[in-house]
Amino acid sequence: MARLRLITEGIYLKQAPPLILIFFIFLSQVFSQGSEDENSLVWKIKDGNVNANTIEEYLDIYYKGLAQNPNLSGGGVQKHMQLVVEAHLSDTGISLQKLRYEDRSKNSRPALNASILDSMSIESIETLLSRKYKWTDIDPTVIDDGPITDVVNIFKERNYKHCRDVNWWSRNEIDISSNLHWVVRFKYASTAFVLEPGLPVLGYPAGLSRLLNIGVASEVVKAYLTVPWKPIYQFGGNHPIEGAWGGGYKFDTHRIGGMVGFQDISLNAKSLRRYHSPKSVVFIPKYALLYFSVTFAIDGIDKDVPTGPSSLSGRTTVWPSGSLRTRVGFKLIEYSHGEINQNGSFEEIMNSSGLSNVGVHFRAEYVTDQIRSSEEENQKRKSFILAAQINYDLDNQLGLVIESSYHPYRTIKLGLNMAYMGPKIFEWEKPDGTLDLFEWNPGFTVTPYFAVNF
Amino acid sequence: MVTRFKNFVGLFLFVLLTVSNAQEVEPKHTPLDPLKYDAWTIEYPPYKWIVEEKIKAYRVINPDENQNIPVVGTGDKVALVVSKFQKDNIVEIWYGADGHYTILKEKQVDWILGESAEEELRKKNTYFNLDARFIFEDRTGSAAGLNYIHQKNSAALSDVQISPDLIDINLSISRDYSFIYKWGYPRMALVNNQWGGMVLGVRNQSFEIGVRMPPVFYLNTDLLSLSDGIEAKHLNGGWGSFGAIKYQSFTGEISFVSPPSSSKKDFDASINDDQFLSIMDLSLLMYTDVQITHRNNQESLISAIFQGGLYLYRVQNYKYDPSGIFIPRTNTLDGDTLSSHQETKLGLYLSLDACTKVNQKIGRPLIEAQLQLHTSYAFMTALTVNINRHIAVPIYYTYMFEELQWAPRKALHIGFRTTFDL
């Protein structure tokens, strides 16, 4: 079972490895499959009849043996107790290693007498080993000294989907943020209504773009309508991309994700006031992104505290355990530069093309583990999310995005997003044959927000 | 009229060799009621491995049952069925692919998985999963035909499919993902190379994404093509993307190409000096499926699905100047003048997709038919005759409602489709 546990926990790292290491093992992990050999099986028999019949046969032999040997051990088991089987599995079959019983009064799992087990009928042992009854796995690492609990869950799966979900839509049914990032998940269907400002994945979050995506999302896909929109508030930002009517699709699974979308500025209302810079408009007519992702489990860091009431064991958490999801992909963004004429129509001056449209995308998201022990603890949960993203275009435009949010309580979220997009140069030939250029500088923006979750 | 016969000897030999080694399918499905049961496939590898390992262990412990309980194969789907009313048990586990499923019943699930593994696997919302519609599929009567149409429209019919417009190869590491190479777009009435360019990408049952690029090569599976021009008119390619999503009965598709970069003749290797170019730089298609024939009709000879939605396309016309620049043009080869170098059309997309009763032996209907209408743009009809499970002959007829610079007014393509398992 140790094997299964190792596999289910995926890549378990004591400390976050350097990014470069992540990058190199990234693709090998995307489609990799684990292989490991393990021969030990430990399980508890949950079928009352199997337990009672086996114990009865065992005790019969025990009492007969006791007459000959008054010091014979292994008689503590009672018919109502549950048995724990330790077996060895090989290619040729399975063999019994030990048989234990759970003594809840002593909170222990003593082993039954092996010599008595040897005297038991082959049919009884075969029944035990066939597992054709109700049973449950036991963690082999705690079999000797671990506590006995009613639910022994050896599949301590890191909640990678939780990590994906908080960035795809929300872990809550309702997540309404002051920066107009809204998610309303419908209770009886795995769909949600979603509002998303900007194109953050491409490096243009709310402060650096003037568009809003209104869509419907499912577990895997999103479809959205794009509309021009001015952020309610923003700090910083020099020259955002303009928004236009359009639409697109997104999808995201644990392995790959992507998006494809378009905007058509000719559909915009003929009003100059709607544009940030009518004389130098930059917008994105078409875009696509494809990425591969891998999620790592990151162990938390605790340290000893000499005094203080914060921790039961005298230790405090310096860095909480969580999941790190990394994404590497490439993108294709077409930029259009032009101006709004007196009629309110967009006149294109130049359109980017070729390799300058191609770029790479890297993103790392860290989400602290969800506490699963009790609802009460969940309510008090203090969790946080951190994300860092780099977008780099082959024409040397660099974009950085840092997103952070903190849950002081489960229903409240405080966040701070920062984004920087470097300058991009548009160069074109004028009718008289001379070259002209425009340097577009989107700049740096900071967007604090608060959100309520239900 | 031009008639082109293609030499397919090599392809035929390859297919025939493959077909001779392939096995026929006899689907064994017991349909469950989707109102009573929830079913999903496990998409998270570690959880799939739990099932895989448990089955392996059970086979070692009980070798007498190995014949009935095979190992989980690489790329097999693993699906769980849970009662909507009594959620504390997994009712069934299905594993396999392409209609070959092993079904473990509730008691076997208890014996094989154990309580703690079952408990974890039942928590659907905590790991990646997809709806497992195939669990509820009845493979008899009208339902079999409807399932066939759905599958044909959203995924490959077998591990490998070579059609007149695409090649689809299931990835061996996961059959949920396919590698696709497309060079036609029949759903926009652009058959074979009429679309211009090609797409390399991946798809699964929920999405499709790929890179559109200039045509490196076409695998022309036309046995015969007829069109009303001296040289069949077609669109030109370029760099861009293609994306599609599918969610329940809704499908949406977007395709775009960036404008040609100046001074880059190699943008499209096929162009010549002074050549007129037309590039579909944007197309959008959204539609929803409505089943016309009743799913539970065992006697029905025909199954049909109606699709209704919207389409939009935008074509940019250019002229390649010998100086190495693409110039937007407003004139045609015939000397006519256009109001703009850009043609945009928005209209209704209506389609009727039908097939005859699925032949249980070959797992295909004898005849598939599609009538497709893009209002004020094109009408297309497609008729496919399945010779056996692996070979089919599709016939496309397209008719454009007006004279277009980039597509023949009328065209007939008789193609070749092959499907086989690896």
Side-chain angles (χ1 to χ4, degrees):
Chain A
M1 284 306 100
R3 174 188 180 188
L4 285 179
R5 195 170 69 155
L6 269 172
I7 292 171
T8 55
E9 290 187 357
I11 310 146
Y12 198 84
L13 303 174
K14 289 289 176 194
Q15 290 178 332
L19 286 181
I20 195 153
L21 177 62
I22 295 175
F23 182 77
F24 278 115
I25 60 175
F26 185 86
L27 286 177
S28 65
Q29 293 299 329
V30 170
F31 293 112
S32 68
Q33 299 187 36
S35 68
E36 193 185 335
D37 202 27
E38 175 63 47
N39 299 316
S40 179
L41 294 181
V42 184
W43 70 90
K44 180 161 71 176
I45 300 169
K46 302 276 280 189
D47 185 311
N49 287 334
V50 175
N51 280 320
N53 293 340
T54 310
I55 293 169
E56 194 175 342
E57 186 182 342
Y58 173 88
L59 287 176
D60 281 349
I61 301 170
Y62 172 77
Y63 288 124
K64 282 175 192 166
L66 199 60
Q68 296 167 1
N69 177 10
N71 295 325
L72 189 65
S73 62
V77 64
Q78 294 174 33
K79 266 180 82 173
H80 67 274
M81 290 177 171
Q82 290 184 316
L83 296 171
V84 174
V85 183
E86 284 181 66
H88 179 81
L89 192 69
S90 67
D91 291 341
T92 52
I94 187 168
S95 58
L96 182 67
Q97 300 297 105
K98 267 184 188 173
L99 192 61
R100 297 171 184 264
Y101 62 97
E102 282 194 351
D103 188 344
R104 287 178 174 262
S105 61
K106 293 177 182 166
N107 202 27
S108 65
R109 294 193 187 99
L112 293 176
N113 191 314
S115 63
I116 297 173
L117 291 177
D118 288 342
S119 305
M120 287 178 71
S121 66
I122 293 171
E123 291 76 23
S124 297
I125 300 299
E126 280 180 352
T127 303
L128 282 183
L129 294 177
S130 72
R131 292 214 291 201
K132 288 185 176 177
Y133 46 77
K134 285 239 175 200
W135 58 274
T136 188
D137 281 297
I138 297 286
D139 186 346
T141 61
V142 298
I143 187 68
D144 286 319
D145 51 2
I148 296 173
T149 58
D150 285 331
V151 179
V152 183
N153 180 13
I154 69 157
F155 303 102
K156 297 184 181 75
E157 173 59 29
R158 288 281 181 166
N159 206 337
Y160 292 157
K161 183 164 181 293
H162 164 70
C163 175
R164 199 290 304 236
D165 280 357
V166 294
N167 289 290
W168 172 248
W169 46 10
S170 172
R171 67 172 72 129
N172 300 294
E173 279 177 27
I174 295 174
D175 189 334
I176 293 178
S177 166
S178 61
N179 67 352
L180 219 66
H181 189 288
W182 291 9
V183 178
V184 179
R185 290 179 67 171
F186 306 121
K187 196 166 184 176
Y188 297 106
S190 50
T191 50
F193 167 76
V194 177
L195 285 184
E196 291 176 337
L199 294 167
V201 178
L202 300 179
Y204 299 101
L208 293 181
S209 61
R210 290 161 62 92
L211 60 95
L212 181 69
N213 294 319
I214 305 165
V216 178
S218 76
E219 283 279 359
V220 179
V221 298
K222 273 181 196 171
Y224 55 88
L225 175 75
T226 304
V227 296
W229 172 74
K230 186 182 172 187
I232 300 165
Y233 62 92
Q234 68 178 88
F235 301 98
N238 183 31
H239 189 159
I241 52 165
E242 298 290 352
W245 286 84
Y249 309 127
K250 287 183 189 179
F251 67 92
D252 187 53
T253 70
H254 57 290
R255 279 178 174 162
I256 66 172
M259 64 192 294
V260 181
F262 77 99
Q263 293 177 79
D264 188 347
I265 205 165
S266 68
L267 301 173
N268 283 17
K270 312 281 186 222
S271 166
L272 291 175
R273 284 178 304 163
R274 291 180 184 273
Y275 296 96
H276 179 271
S277 313
K279 287 294 166 194
S280 54
V281 168
V282 179
F283 85 105
I284 299 177
K286 301 154 197 162
Y287 53 89
L289 169 74
L290 174 65
Y291 57 79
F292 301 89
S293 80
V294 176
T295 312
F296 303 87
I298 304 293
D299 209 2
I301 301 171
D302 293 345
K303 73 169 185 183
D304 291 323
V305 282
T307 56
S310 60
S311 158
L312 290 173
S313 60
R315 291 176 70 79
T316 188
T317 300
V318 177
W319 181 263
S321 62
S323 302
L324 175 70
R325 186 182 192 205
T326 54
R327 305 193 323 205
V328 176
F330 60 91
K331 64 195 176 90
L332 190 69
I333 303 182
E334 184 187 318
Y335 292 91
S336 180
H337 164 56
E339 61 182 21
I340 307 298
N341 63 21
Q342 292 301 316
N343 301 325
S345 300
F346 177 74
E347 282 182 8
E348 187 173 87
I349 296 171
M350 81 153 291
N351 200 311
S352 68
S353 58
L355 282 178
S356 66
N357 288 349
V358 179
V360 292
H361 165 88
F362 177 82
R363 183 178 169 93
E365 298 162 347
Y366 187 77
V367 178
T368 51
D369 280 343
Q370 198 173 20
I371 298 166
R372 302 204 289 179
S373 54
S374 73
E375 188 58 28
E376 190 183 350
E377 283 183 65
N378 267 335
Q379 290 294 340
K380 292 177 186 169
R381 181 183 60 206
K382 292 182 173 67
S383 60
F384 65 82
I385 298 162
L386 281 175
Q389 179 183 298
I390 299 169
N391 289 289
Y392 180 73
D393 287 354
L394 293 188
D395 67 349
N396 295 328
Q397 190 186 25
L398 176 70
L400 302 169
V401 175
I402 293 175
E403 297 168 8
S404 59
S405 64
Y406 173 68
H407 280 266
Y409 300 100
R410 191 178 183 181
T411 51
I412 300 289
K413 182 167 70 177
L414 304 173
L416 183 69
N417 293 347
M418 291 179 280
Y420 165 78
M421 184 56 79
K424 188 179 190 75
I425 293 171
F426 294 92
E427 193 177 74
W428 67 95
E429 196 177 292
K430 293 200 288 191
D432 61 4
T434 58
L435 287 176
D436 201 353
L437 62 85
F438 165 66
E439 184 176 326
W440 174 51
N441 192 2
F444 174 77
T445 183
V446 178
T447 310
Y449 67 89
F450 74 92
V452 287
N453 306 149
F454 302 102
Chain B
M1 300 280 271
V2 173
T3 304
R4 293 188 296 145
F5 288 96
K6 302 291 175 186
N7 184 353
F8 274 92
V9 176
L11 187 59
F12 266 119
L13 280 176
F14 170 65
V15 170
L16 286 175
L17 280 172
T18 314
V19 167
S20 63
N21 289 321
Q23 292 178 339
E24 297 293 347
V25 173
E26 283 191 37
K28 289 183 284 184
H29 280 272
T30 310
L32 291 169
D33 186 351
L35 295 175
K36 293 179 185 166
Y37 297 96
D38 190 10
W40 64 89
T41 55
I42 302 172
E43 298 297 315
Y44 189 47
Y47 274 16
K48 219 168 173 175
W49 292 330
I50 289 176
V51 178
E52 200 177 317
E53 292 297 315
K54 294 285 187 185
I55 288 173
K56 249 190 227 170
Y58 188 80
R59 280 167 54 87
V60 174
I61 295 169
N62 299 289
D64 52 314
E65 293 184 39
N66 283 1
Q67 210 166 2
N68 298 328
I69 303 177
V71 291
V72 179
T74 308
D76 273 3
K77 283 181 181 172
V78 177
L80 309 180
V81 184
V82 172
S83 165
K84 284 183 176 174
F85 308 106
Q86 202 178 353
K87 295 190 174 181
D88 55 350
N89 269 329
I90 294 172
V91 178
E92 285 179 357
I93 289 181
W94 291 42
Y95 63 99
D98 303 329
H100 300 270
Y101 292 105
T102 301
I103 302 170
L104 303 176
K105 296 290 182 186
E106 190 168 353
K107 196 171 255 182
Q108 287 175 305
V109 174
D110 289 346
W111 294 350
I112 292 170
L113 290 186
E115 206 170 70
S116 50
E118 258 194 83
E119 188 186 317
E120 281 302 293
L121 292 170
R122 276 201 314 271
K123 294 174 188 165
K124 180 185 176 184
N125 291 330
T126 63
Y127 61 91
F128 293 100
N129 62 77
L130 288 174
D131 288 341
R133 240 192 242 174
F134 63 89
I135 299 284
F136 307 112
E137 287 174 358
D138 183 356
R139 299 221 163 184
T140 59
S142 180
L146 293 171
N147 295 335
Y148 178 82
I149 296 171
H150 280 304
Q151 190 185 351
K152 182 187 71 163
N153 290 341
S154 61
L157 294 165
S158 294
D159 284 352
V160 176
Q161 179 173 329
I162 301 170
S163 303
D165 62 310
L166 76 88
I167 294 176
D168 185 314
I169 303 170
N170 269 344
L171 299 178
S172 60
I173 51 167
S174 170
R175 290 192 184 201
D176 296 328
Y177 295 90
S178 294
F179 164 78
I180 50 164
Y181 163 53
K182 289 167 76 153
W183 60 94
Y185 197 2
R187 215 162 273 287
M188 284 294 282
L190 297 165
V191 182
N192 212 317
N193 68 343
Q194 285 178 5
W195 192 25
M198 57 185 235
V199 171
L200 291 178
V202 289
R203 78 170 173 183
N204 81 353
Q205 66 176 49
S206 300
F207 61 81
E208 185 174 327
I209 192 163
V211 179
R212 277 199 71 180
M213 54 182 68
V216 177
F217 71 96
Y218 291 121
L219 182 69
N220 195 336
T221 57
D222 271 1
L223 299 172
L224 170 71
S225 64
L226 303 166
S227 63
D228 64 345
I230 292 170
E231 189 181 347
K233 290 189 276 187
H234 63 87
L235 287 159
N236 296 94
W239 288 95
S241 185
F242 179 87
I245 58 162
K246 299 174 190 80
Y247 182 64
Q248 294 182 351
S249 60
F250 173 80
T251 302
E253 299 175 355
I254 290 179
S255 172
F256 72 77
V257 171
S258 287
S261 66
S262 58
S263 308
K264 288 244 169 40
K265 186 181 174 182
D266 59 353
F267 193 79
D268 185 332
S270 67
I271 61 170
N272 304 310
D273 286 357
D274 298 324
Q275 185 170 329
F276 280 25
L277 293 150
S278 294
I279 293 169
M280 188 173 276
D281 80 323
L282 180 68
S283 70
L284 179 67
L285 188 60
M286 293 187 295
Y287 58 88
T288 187
D289 295 346
V290 180
Q291 290 175 8
I292 295 177
T293 51
H294 199 279
R295 183 166 270 274
N296 295 329
N297 188 349
Q298 295 295 319
E299 305 303 320
S300 175
L301 296 175
I302 292 177
S303 305
I305 288 173
F306 169 77
Q307 295 171 334
L310 293 171
Y311 79 91
L312 177 144
Y313 75 73
R314 191 171 67 200
V315 172
Q316 308 275 1
N317 295 311
Y318 297 96
K319 180 176 183 294
Y320 180 70
D321 188 86
S323 64
I325 299 171
F326 291 94
I327 305 166
R329 65 179 165 84
T330 53
N331 59 325
T332 68
L333 270 174
D334 302 330
D336 297 334
T337 304
L338 305 166
S339 58
S340 165
H341 74 282
Q342 185 174 292
E343 301 168 39
T344 305
K345 199 149 275 180
L346 170 71
L348 291 176
Y349 168 80
L350 307 169
S351 169
L352 184 68
D353 223 335
C355 70
T356 57
K357 201 169 184 174
V358 173
N359 182 316
Q360 293 296 312
K361 263 192 179 175
I362 65 169
R364 303 272 188 271
L366 183 63
I367 294 172
E368 305 162 27
Q370 191 186 13
L371 299 173
Q372 190 175 284
L373 174 72
H374 296 77
T375 56
S376 72
Y377 161 48
F379 171 78
M380 189 187 86
T381 178
L383 188 76
T384 302
V385 180
N386 283 296
I387 295 168
N388 60 28
R389 180 173 173 79
H390 308 284
I391 297 171
V393 177
I395 304 163
Y396 294 95
Y397 174 74
T398 54
Y399 175 78
M400 302 296 170
F401 292 125
E402 59 187 70
E403 198 67 51
L404 297 168
Q405 298 180 66
W406 39 271
R409 188 77 185 252
K410 290 177 271 186
L412 176 76
H413 297 266
I414 300 177
F416 173 78
R417 185 184 76 194
T418 180
T419 56
F420 51 90
D421 293 326
L422 295 173

